[in-house]
Amino acid sequence: MSSAATNWGSSGLAYLTGLPDAPPDFSRAAVLTRAEQVAASVGARLGVAVDAPTLLAGRAGLLGLTRRGRTAAGGGTRLLAARDGWCAVTLSRPDDLAAVPALLEADDITGDPWPVLQRWATTRLTSAITDRAQLLDIPAAGLGEASATAPQARRIGVATGPRDFADLLVADLSSMWAGPLCGHLLARAGATVVKVESPRRPDGTRLGNAEFFDWMNGEKLSYCLDFDAQGDELRALLTVADIVIEGSRPAALARRRLGPQHVVPRPGRIWLRITGYGQQSLRPAFGDDAAVAGGLVGSSAEGPVFCGDAIADPLTGLEATAAVAESLLRGGGELIDVSMAGIAAVYAALPLAERGESGPVAVPQPPPPHRRAAASGADNDTVRRTVSERHLLPC
């Protein structure tokens, strides 16, 4: 048994990959090997311990998840057989479920929508399924449709000299997992990280498992404001921030003139933009369907199965943090674009384990105890004071 297979089994990722009534799948063991290498590099630059198995399987440990084959471990995404291949559809939001009748061009769908969706998918091409889903803002992906794309950095401002993490102010506008994970790691390195939310659209994980939200956001200040009514106040924060983490589709901030091209850059500012499919795409994405788009799936006698738990999310968060750390070494002043599907495809291109590779399998473990996250808006006054003080300092 190879060391990669041993690590894959002990990490809990094997427990999360494969058919529920069959042995775990070890074919993607190289994914963890690369993630551990990236984590070691990130940890060295941030001066903190970064444990890849915990980042990739910790949520499953908190929620008690297991492998479910063509149903994602978290339950919100499924692999469906289409006429010409496989696709993934995510119905994790109330709006997604409400849009199913329109997706199927049916008057009404009662009960469990998945059997009807599966029958519908078998009569259509994957491209037709994803195109129609995009029209309705439903996350969907064809298996392997995305190309491998590493984080892309380009200069948009003035670089500066080296900076200590303790001197950095980070505006984290992202939600769910990938962006918040980057903010979490920067906070652990000593940066002041501000979790920015709108009362109209709070981070969806705030309403889910509290321990997971605490894990990702417990070391951040909570800042809640209306992006439309208080746009000038948000602009003030973005103007003085050293790092901005954006996890929405690019148009969301651009239409408010709050994107990187609109906000006067602080010297050395790094703007990290995490999207599902790149800055030119308007498609929504979550960790499981983005992984399928990149081709990052396990295998079974019955076809592809989900790999890990929403694995494109933590892999993207880890790779994004590495890109930010590298940008800081260059002095910043850069826009970094990271595509979740593109990162998944990078990992999908790694060599597969030998057929029949196996070993002991451990249950995913939760992360170590962590601080409780602040209530929404609890630190508004502190953030406003910090912004005011930074506006008075010379750049």
Side-chain angles (χ1 to χ4, degrees), residues 69-97:
R70 289 196 290 274
T71 297
T77 307
R78 298 204 185 183
L79 274 162
L80 305 177
R83 202 170 84 192
D84 61 339
W86 294 87
C87 66
V89 175
T90 297
L91 301 178
S92 61
R93 304 169 298 183
D95 287 350
D96 300 328
L97 288 167

PDB file of all heavy atoms in Angstrom, residues 69-97:
ATOM      1  N   GLY A  69     -22.131   7.978  -2.874  1.00  0.00           N
ATOM      2  CA  GLY A  69     -22.105   7.647  -4.280  1.00  0.00           C
ATOM      3  C   GLY A  69     -22.409   8.827  -5.175  1.00  0.00           C
ATOM      4  O   GLY A  69     -21.681   9.812  -5.217  1.00  0.00           O
ATOM      5  N   ARG A  70     -23.516   8.755  -5.911  1.00  0.00           N
ATOM      6  CA  ARG A  70     -23.876   9.828  -6.847  1.00  0.00           C
ATOM      7  C   ARG A  70     -24.712  10.929  -6.188  1.00  0.00           C
ATOM      8  O   ARG A  70     -25.168  11.848  -6.859  1.00  0.00           O
ATOM      9  CB  ARG A  70     -24.589   9.248  -8.067  1.00  0.00           C
ATOM     10  CG  ARG A  70     -23.626   8.466  -8.971  1.00  0.00           C
ATOM     11  CD  ARG A  70     -24.213   8.234 -10.336  1.00  0.00           C
ATOM     12  NE  ARG A  70     -25.306   7.288 -10.303  1.00  0.00           N
ATOM     13  CZ  ARG A  70     -25.158   5.971 -10.382  1.00  0.00           C
ATOM     14  NH1 ARG A  70     -23.947   5.438 -10.443  1.00  0.00           N
ATOM     15  NH2 ARG A  70     -26.205   5.165 -10.378  1.00  0.00           N
ATOM     16  N   THR A  71     -24.907  10.813  -4.888  1.00  0.00           N
ATOM     17  CA  THR A  71     -25.444  11.919  -4.092  1.00  0.00           C
ATOM     18  C   THR A  71     -24.282  12.486  -3.283  1.00  0.00           C
ATOM     19  O   THR A  71     -23.541  11.733  -2.651  1.00  0.00           O
ATOM     20  CB  THR A  71     -26.547  11.444  -3.136  1.00  0.00           C
ATOM     21  OG1 THR A  71     -27.653  10.943  -3.896  1.00  0.00           O
ATOM     22  CG2 THR A  71     -27.038  12.586  -2.253  1.00  0.00           C
ATOM     23  N   ALA A  72     -24.085  13.787  -3.338  1.00  0.00           N
ATOM     24  CA  ALA A  72     -22.979  14.398  -2.609  1.00  0.00           C
ATOM     25  C   ALA A  72     -23.117  14.126  -1.118  1.00  0.00           C
ATOM     26  O   ALA A  72     -24.224  13.961  -0.593  1.00  0.00           O
ATOM     27  CB  ALA A  72     -22.950  15.897  -2.881  1.00  0.00           C
ATOM     28  N   ALA A  73     -21.985  14.109  -0.426  1.00  0.00           N
ATOM     29  CA  ALA A  73     -21.996  13.829   1.007  1.00  0.00           C
ATOM     30  C   ALA A  73     -22.921  14.769   1.754  1.00  0.00           C
ATOM     31  O   ALA A  73     -23.635  14.364   2.677  1.00  0.00           O
ATOM     32  CB  ALA A  73     -20.572  13.926   1.563  1.00  0.00           C
ATOM     33  N   GLY A  74     -22.953  16.049   1.336  1.00  0.00           N
ATOM     34  CA  GLY A  74     -23.817  17.027   1.988  1.00  0.00           C
ATOM     35  C   GLY A  74     -25.269  16.931   1.582  1.00  0.00           C
ATOM     36  O   GLY A  74     -26.134  17.566   2.211  1.00  0.00           O
ATOM     37  N   GLY A  75     -25.573  16.179   0.513  1.00  0.00           N
ATOM     38  CA  GLY A  75     -26.950  15.908   0.109  1.00  0.00           C
ATOM     39  C   GLY A  75     -27.558  16.860  -0.902  1.00  0.00           C
ATOM     40  O   GLY A  75     -28.605  16.552  -1.473  1.00  0.00           O
ATOM     41  N   GLY A  76     -26.944  18.008  -1.157  1.00  0.00           N
ATOM     42  CA  GLY A  76     -27.588  19.002  -2.007  1.00  0.00           C
ATOM     43  C   GLY A  76     -27.330  18.867  -3.486  1.00  0.00           C
ATOM     44  O   GLY A  76     -27.987  19.515  -4.300  1.00  0.00           O
ATOM     45  N   THR A  77     -26.371  18.023  -3.877  1.00  0.00           N
ATOM     46  CA  THR A  77     -25.987  17.882  -5.287  1.00  0.00           C
ATOM     47  C   THR A  77     -26.061  16.419  -5.686  1.00  0.00           C
ATOM     48  O   THR A  77     -25.742  15.537  -4.880  1.00  0.00           O
ATOM     49  CB  THR A  77     -24.556  18.403  -5.507  1.00  0.00           C
ATOM     50  OG1 THR A  77     -24.437  19.727  -4.995  1.00  0.00           O
ATOM     51  CG2 THR A  77     -24.195  18.409  -6.992  1.00  0.00           C
ATOM     52  N   ARG A  78     -26.451  16.175  -6.936  1.00  0.00           N
ATOM     53  CA  ARG A  78     -26.495  14.790  -7.427  1.00  0.00           C
ATOM     54  C   ARG A  78     -25.892  14.703  -8.818  1.00  0.00           C
ATOM     55  O   ARG A  78     -25.996  15.632  -9.621  1.00  0.00           O
ATOM     56  CB  ARG A  78     -27.931  14.261  -7.453  1.00  0.00           C
ATOM     57  CG  ARG A  78     -28.547  14.228  -6.065  1.00  0.00           C
ATOM     58  CD  ARG A  78     -29.661  13.236  -5.938  1.00  0.00           C
ATOM     59  NE  ARG A  78     -30.300  13.320  -4.625  1.00  0.00           N
ATOM     60  CZ  ARG A  78     -31.276  12.529  -4.223  1.00  0.00           C
ATOM     61  NH1 ARG A  78     -31.739  11.602  -5.029  1.00  0.00           N
ATOM     62  NH2 ARG A  78     -31.794  12.673  -3.015  1.00  0.00           N
ATOM     63  N   LEU A  79     -25.268  13.559  -9.067  1.00  0.00           N
ATOM     64  CA  LEU A  79     -24.793  13.230 -10.406  1.00  0.00           C
ATOM     65  C   LEU A  79     -25.930  12.561 -11.164  1.00  0.00           C
ATOM     66  O   LEU A  79     -26.529  11.596 -10.671  1.00  0.00           O
ATOM     67  CB  LEU A  79     -23.598  12.275 -10.325  1.00  0.00           C
ATOM     68  CG  LEU A  79     -22.219  12.911 -10.155  1.00  0.00           C
ATOM     69  CD1 LEU A  79     -21.223  11.887  -9.652  1.00  0.00           C
ATOM     70  CD2 LEU A  79     -21.749  13.512 -11.480  1.00  0.00           C
ATOM     71  N   LEU A  80     -26.231  13.087 -12.347  1.00  0.00           N
ATOM     72  CA  LEU A  80     -27.330  12.565 -13.152  1.00  0.00           C
ATOM     73  C   LEU A  80     -26.789  12.087 -14.496  1.00  0.00           C
ATOM     74  O   LEU A  80     -25.936  12.740 -15.102  1.00  0.00           O
ATOM     75  CB  LEU A  80     -28.380  13.656 -13.392  1.00  0.00           C
ATOM     76  CG  LEU A  80     -28.960  14.353 -12.160  1.00  0.00           C
ATOM     77  CD1 LEU A  80     -29.928  15.450 -12.586  1.00  0.00           C
ATOM     78  CD2 LEU A  80     -29.646  13.348 -11.237  1.00  0.00           C
ATOM     79  N   ALA A  81     -27.296  10.956 -14.960  1.00  0.00           N
ATOM     80  CA  ALA A  81     -26.918  10.446 -16.269  1.00  0.00           C
ATOM     81  C   ALA A  81     -27.676  11.219 -17.335  1.00  0.00           C
ATOM     82  O   ALA A  81     -28.917  11.236 -17.335  1.00  0.00           O
ATOM     83  CB  ALA A  81     -27.227   8.960 -16.366  1.00  0.00           C
ATOM     84  N   ALA A  82     -26.936  11.867 -18.234  1.00  0.00           N
ATOM     85  CA  ALA A  82     -27.546  12.586 -19.353  1.00  0.00           C
ATOM     86  C   ALA A  82     -27.445  11.724 -20.607  1.00  0.00           C
ATOM     87  O   ALA A  82     -26.917  10.604 -20.566  1.00  0.00           O
ATOM     88  CB  ALA A  82     -26.841  13.922 -19.559  1.00  0.00           C
ATOM     89  N   ARG A  83     -27.938  12.250 -21.728  1.00  0.00           N
ATOM     90  CA  ARG A  83     -27.945  11.472 -22.956  1.00  0.00           C
ATOM     91  C   ARG A  83     -26.532  11.187 -23.452  1.00  0.00           C
ATOM     92  O   ARG A  83     -26.266  10.141 -24.051  1.00  0.00           O
ATOM     93  CB  ARG A  83     -28.732  12.212 -24.035  1.00  0.00           C
ATOM     94  CG  ARG A  83     -29.257  11.306 -25.139  1.00  0.00           C
ATOM     95  CD  ARG A  83     -30.218  12.051 -26.029  1.00  0.00           C
ATOM     96  NE  ARG A  83     -29.517  12.811 -27.068  1.00  0.00           N
ATOM     97  CZ  ARG A  83     -30.085  13.729 -27.827  1.00  0.00           C
ATOM     98  NH1 ARG A  83     -31.354  14.032 -27.638  1.00  0.00           N
ATOM     99  NH2 ARG A  83     -29.410  14.346 -28.759  1.00  0.00           N
ATOM    100  N   ASP A  84     -25.611  12.118 -23.173  1.00  0.00           N
ATOM    101  CA  ASP A  84     -24.257  11.976 -23.708  1.00  0.00           C
ATOM    102  C   ASP A  84     -23.184  11.935 -22.626  1.00  0.00           C
ATOM    103  O   ASP A  84     -22.005  12.148 -22.913  1.00  0.00           O
ATOM    104  CB  ASP A  84     -23.960  13.119 -24.673  1.00  0.00           C
ATOM    105  CG  ASP A  84     -24.033  14.481 -23.989  1.00  0.00           C
ATOM    106  OD1 ASP A  84     -24.680  14.572 -22.930  1.00  0.00           O
ATOM    107  OD2 ASP A  84     -23.454  15.449 -24.518  1.00  0.00           O
ATOM    108  N   GLY A  85     -23.564  11.700 -21.386  1.00  0.00           N
ATOM    109  CA  GLY A  85     -22.559  11.670 -20.324  1.00  0.00           C
ATOM    110  C   GLY A  85     -23.185  11.890 -18.962  1.00  0.00           C
ATOM    111  O   GLY A  85     -24.299  11.439 -18.702  1.00  0.00           O
ATOM    112  N   TRP A  86     -22.446  12.622 -18.122  1.00  0.00           N
ATOM    113  CA  TRP A  86     -22.902  12.861 -16.750  1.00  0.00           C
ATOM    114  C   TRP A  86     -22.903  14.350 -16.445  1.00  0.00           C
ATOM    115  O   TRP A  86     -22.081  15.104 -16.972  1.00  0.00           O
ATOM    116  CB  TRP A  86     -21.991  12.145 -15.745  1.00  0.00           C
ATOM    117  CG  TRP A  86     -22.056  10.661 -15.823  1.00  0.00           C
ATOM    118  CD1 TRP A  86     -21.327   9.837 -16.629  1.00  0.00           C
ATOM    119  CD2 TRP A  86     -22.926   9.804 -15.075  1.00  0.00           C
ATOM    120  NE1 TRP A  86     -21.673   8.519 -16.434  1.00  0.00           N
ATOM    121  CE2 TRP A  86     -22.651   8.476 -15.472  1.00  0.00           C
ATOM    122  CE3 TRP A  86     -23.884  10.019 -14.085  1.00  0.00           C
ATOM    123  CZ2 TRP A  86     -23.304   7.367 -14.935  1.00  0.00           C
ATOM    124  CZ3 TRP A  86     -24.537   8.926 -13.541  1.00  0.00           C
ATOM    125  CH2 TRP A  86     -24.258   7.622 -13.964  1.00  0.00           C
ATOM    126  N   CYS A  87     -23.812  14.739 -15.591  1.00  0.00           N
ATOM    127  CA  CYS A  87     -23.848  16.125 -15.142  1.00  0.00           C
ATOM    128  C   CYS A  87     -24.197  16.156 -13.661  1.00  0.00           C
ATOM    129  O   CYS A  87     -24.702  15.169 -13.106  1.00  0.00           O
ATOM    130  CB  CYS A  87     -24.849  16.953 -15.946  1.00  0.00           C
ATOM    131  SG  CYS A  87     -26.569  16.470 -15.716  1.00  0.00           S
ATOM    132  N   ALA A  88     -23.896  17.284 -13.020  1.00  0.00           N
ATOM    133  CA  ALA A  88     -24.245  17.488 -11.617  1.00  0.00           C
ATOM    134  C   ALA A  88     -25.209  18.647 -11.514  1.00  0.00           C
ATOM    135  O   ALA A  88     -25.037  19.665 -12.187  1.00  0.00           O
ATOM    136  CB  ALA A  88     -22.999  17.766 -10.790  1.00  0.00           C
ATOM    137  N   VAL A  89     -26.221  18.504 -10.681  1.00  0.00           N
ATOM    138  CA  VAL A  89     -27.189  19.573 -10.429  1.00  0.00           C
ATOM    139  C   VAL A  89     -27.275  19.767  -8.913  1.00  0.00           C
ATOM    140  O   VAL A  89     -27.336  18.799  -8.164  1.00  0.00           O
ATOM    141  CB  VAL A  89     -28.578  19.228 -10.998  1.00  0.00           C
ATOM    142  CG1 VAL A  89     -29.605  20.308 -10.622  1.00  0.00           C
ATOM    143  CG2 VAL A  89     -28.512  19.075 -12.518  1.00  0.00           C
ATOM    144  N   THR A  90     -27.258  21.030  -8.500  1.00  0.00           N
ATOM    145  CA  THR A  90     -27.339  21.354  -7.075  1.00  0.00           C
ATOM    146  C   THR A  90     -28.668  22.029  -6.769  1.00  0.00           C
ATOM    147  O   THR A  90     -29.049  22.992  -7.438  1.00  0.00           O
ATOM    148  CB  THR A  90     -26.183  22.291  -6.660  1.00  0.00           C
ATOM    149  OG1 THR A  90     -24.942  21.608  -6.846  1.00  0.00           O
ATOM    150  CG2 THR A  90     -26.310  22.708  -5.199  1.00  0.00           C
ATOM    151  N   LEU A  91     -29.360  21.515  -5.776  1.00  0.00           N
ATOM    152  CA  LEU A  91     -30.622  22.102  -5.315  1.00  0.00           C
ATOM    153  C   LEU A  91     -30.505  22.369  -3.812  1.00  0.00           C
ATOM    154  O   LEU A  91     -31.258  21.823  -3.015  1.00  0.00           O
ATOM    155  CB  LEU A  91     -31.800  21.170  -5.602  1.00  0.00           C
ATOM    156  CG  LEU A  91     -32.043  20.776  -7.058  1.00  0.00           C
ATOM    157  CD1 LEU A  91     -33.218  19.805  -7.159  1.00  0.00           C
ATOM    158  CD2 LEU A  91     -32.293  22.008  -7.934  1.00  0.00           C
ATOM    159  N   SER A  92     -29.554  23.215  -3.439  1.00  0.00           N
ATOM    160  CA  SER A  92     -29.309  23.443  -2.020  1.00  0.00           C
ATOM    161  C   SER A  92     -30.023  24.668  -1.471  1.00  0.00           C
ATOM    162  O   SER A  92     -30.142  24.828  -0.257  1.00  0.00           O
ATOM    163  CB  SER A  92     -27.804  23.584  -1.769  1.00  0.00           C
ATOM    164  OG  SER A  92     -27.282  24.691  -2.477  1.00  0.00           O
ATOM    165  N   ARG A  93     -30.514  25.545  -2.363  1.00  0.00           N
ATOM    166  CA  ARG A  93     -31.181  26.767  -1.923  1.00  0.00           C
ATOM    167  C   ARG A  93     -32.678  26.671  -2.208  1.00  0.00           C
ATOM    168  O   ARG A  93     -33.098  25.998  -3.156  1.00  0.00           O
ATOM    169  CB  ARG A  93     -30.601  27.980  -2.656  1.00  0.00           C
ATOM    170  CG  ARG A  93     -29.103  28.150  -2.508  1.00  0.00           C
ATOM    171  CD  ARG A  93     -28.551  29.194  -3.466  1.00  0.00           C
ATOM    172  NE  ARG A  93     -28.752  28.831  -4.858  1.00  0.00           N
ATOM    173  CZ  ARG A  93     -28.310  29.543  -5.899  1.00  0.00           C
ATOM    174  NH1 ARG A  93     -27.640  30.664  -5.681  1.00  0.00           N
ATOM    175  NH2 ARG A  93     -28.542  29.140  -7.137  1.00  0.00           N
ATOM    176  N   PRO A  94     -33.507  27.343  -1.416  1.00  0.00           N
ATOM    177  CA  PRO A  94     -34.948  27.327  -1.699  1.00  0.00           C
ATOM    178  C   PRO A  94     -35.267  27.781  -3.123  1.00  0.00           C
ATOM    179  O   PRO A  94     -36.168  27.220  -3.759  1.00  0.00           O
ATOM    180  CB  PRO A  94     -35.509  28.305  -0.655  1.00  0.00           C
ATOM    181  CG  PRO A  94     -34.549  28.252   0.478  1.00  0.00           C
ATOM    182  CD  PRO A  94     -33.194  28.071  -0.158  1.00  0.00           C
ATOM    183  N   ASP A  95     -34.527  28.763  -3.634  1.00  0.00           N
ATOM    184  CA  ASP A  95     -34.772  29.246  -4.996  1.00  0.00           C
ATOM    185  C   ASP A  95     -34.475  28.173  -6.034  1.00  0.00           C
ATOM    186  O   ASP A  95     -35.119  28.131  -7.090  1.00  0.00           O
ATOM    187  CB  ASP A  95     -33.916  30.487  -5.281  1.00  0.00           C
ATOM    188  CG  ASP A  95     -34.418  31.722  -4.549  1.00  0.00           C
ATOM    189  OD1 ASP A  95     -35.526  31.663  -3.983  1.00  0.00           O
ATOM    190  OD2 ASP A  95     -33.697  32.735  -4.538  1.00  0.00           O
ATOM    191  N   ASP A  96     -33.484  27.311  -5.759  1.00  0.00           N
ATOM    192  CA  ASP A  96     -33.181  26.223  -6.689  1.00  0.00           C
ATOM    193  C   ASP A  96     -34.360  25.265  -6.793  1.00  0.00           C
ATOM    194  O   ASP A  96     -34.770  24.868  -7.899  1.00  0.00           O
ATOM    195  CB  ASP A  96     -31.934  25.457  -6.229  1.00  0.00           C
ATOM    196  CG  ASP A  96     -30.694  26.330  -6.155  1.00  0.00           C
ATOM    197  OD1 ASP A  96     -30.583  27.275  -6.952  1.00  0.00           O
ATOM    198  OD2 ASP A  96     -29.833  26.064  -5.293  1.00  0.00           O
ATOM    199  N   LEU A  97     -34.902  24.883  -5.643  1.00  0.00           N
ATOM    200  CA  LEU A  97     -36.050  23.967  -5.636  1.00  0.00           C
ATOM    201  C   LEU A  97     -37.261  24.594  -6.307  1.00  0.00           C
ATOM    202  O   LEU A  97     -37.989  23.933  -7.065  1.00  0.00           O
ATOM    203  CB  LEU A  97     -36.394  23.576  -4.202  1.00  0.00           C
ATOM    204  CG  LEU A  97     -35.405  22.629  -3.511  1.00  0.00           C
ATOM    205  CD1 LEU A  97     -35.664  22.573  -2.017  1.00  0.00           C
ATOM    206  CD2 LEU A  97     -35.507  21.230  -4.124  1.00  0.00           C
TER     207      LEU A  97
END
